[in-house]
Amino acid sequence: MKKYRCTICSHVYDPAVGDPHNGIPAGTPFEKLPDAWRCPICGAAKESFEEVDE
């Protein structure tokens, strides 16, 4: 699964980890995050993330 980086604070959403503090379980791809999901570090909208090239 692809990782995505916040263009505001550089936080990387890793689907292997999820976002447990916001109820997102490990294994959740970025595309399946709720539209209202926000960056857990800076609060930026999901639209502020870009795919990480690895």
Side-chain angles (χ1 to χ4, degrees), residues 1-52:
M1 287 185 276
K2 298 175 185 174
K3 296 179 183 179
Y4 285 77
R5 178 182 300 118
C6 178
T7 59
I8 308 299
C9 73
S10 297
H11 168 72
V12 174
Y13 175 77
D14 183 351
V17 176
D19 183 8
H21 295 292
N22 289 306
I24 307 296
T28 303
F30 187 81
E31 296 80 7
K32 298 288 184 179
L33 292 173
D35 290 337
W37 181 82
R38 311 291 276 187
C39 176
I41 304 301
C42 72
K46 187 176 171 183
E47 296 80 29
S48 297
F49 281 71
E50 63 186 8
E51 188 177 320
V52 175

